[in-house]
Each structure stands twice: as C-alpha cells, then as structure tokens.
Amino acid sequence: MQTNVIASTQKIRELILRHRPAYIRVSEMELRPYTSLTETANYVAKEMLTAYHNNVMQNFGNTWRRTINTLLNCKQRQTELVAQLEAEDKSVLEIKCKCEAQIWGPARRLKESLGTGQPVTTTNE
C-alpha cells in the first residue's frame, strides 16, 4: 500500500479488507480472476449491454404506445371531443362510446397493426 494514504482512507480500506470474505460468503458472489484492465472493461461492457437490452425489452411496449398516443394527440383530441359532447348534453356513456370510436379505437388499431406488421384496417362508423 501507499505510505502517504490519509488515515481515514486507510481505516476504511482495512474495514473493507476485514469484512470482504464474510460479504463474499454471505452474498454468494462469484469472484472472477481478471488478468488485465481490458478483460475487466469487457466484462463491465457486457453487463451494461445486457442491462440496456433488458430495459428496452421490458419497457418498449409502453414507450411505443405512449409515443403513438402523443403523435396522434389523443389526450387533446379527447378533451376537445368531451367538451363538445358535454355542450350538446350527451350522456357519459355516449361520450365514452364516441371517444372510443373516434380516438382510442383507431389509435389502438394503428398500434396493433404497427406492432404486428399487418396493414391498418379501418372501419366505417
């Protein structure tokens, strides 16, 4: 070890070295004997890539749906349609049906068709 290490740093290092074997045993951590910094960097890079890949796989669907909703401006269109239908004294059920038919249904069909690679189907309403 270095001779000019600050005393507090030295105490921390000694604490870590003293409890390291117990931590490794309890956590069942597997120690890998790396011979070079390049080998360590490759391992860390693989870990990072795996974590990124897992994150994309777990969150892609939600991000995809949120992006389509934003591009189609669904919330703003729903707000305007609800205000218009409430001004016409439509019932809550009628408002929900119109929102589904004019905004959310077409958006859902677009998301499903883009997700499956099938052509977008339209319905006459």
Side-chain angles (χ1 to χ4, degrees):
M1 285 195 190
Q2 297 176 346
T3 54
N4 17 341
V5 176
I6 299 175
S8 61
T9 304
Q10 184 64 37
K11 286 181 183 179
I12 292 171
R13 286 182 181 171
E14 289 170 2
L15 180 69
I16 291 170
L17 288 174
R18 184 176 43 221
H19 294 287
R20 186 173 179 242
Y23 173 77
I24 291 170
R25 186 178 62 255
V26 170
S27 67
E28 298 178 358
M29 188 168 81
E30 180 184 334
L31 294 179
R32 294 181 171 85
Y34 295 116
T35 56
S36 69
L37 188 57
T38 303
E39 193 174 336
T40 304
N42 287 338
Y43 176 76
V44 171
K46 282 182 184 176
E47 258 187 358
M48 290 172 63
L49 186 60
T50 300
Y52 179 74
H53 179 264
N54 291 342
N55 183 287
V56 169
M57 295 304 289
Q58 290 172 356
N59 298 312
F60 180 77
N62 289 335
T63 305
W64 175 256
R65 288 186 288 278
R66 196 172 29 243
T67 301
I68 296 295
N69 288 342
T70 301
L71 290 173
L72 295 177
N73 201 15
C74 290
K75 286 186 180 181
Q76 178 64 33
R77 290 173 46 217
Q78 179 181 10
T79 302
E80 293 169 0
L81 182 60
V82 167
Q84 174 192 345
L85 295 174
E86 284 176 344
E88 297 173 6
D89 289 329
K90 300 290 183 180
S91 71
V92 173
L93 183 60
E94 288 176 303
I95 292 173
K96 284 183 179 180
C97 289
K98 286 273 190 185
C99 286
E100 175 62 26
Q102 294 181 16
I103 299 167
W104 299 111
R108 187 179 311 103
R109 285 191 298 276
L110 175 64
K111 289 180 261 189
E112 289 171 355
S113 67
L114 290 173
T116 60
Q118 300 297 319
V120 179
T121 57
T122 58
T123 57
N124 295 331
E125 299 172 28

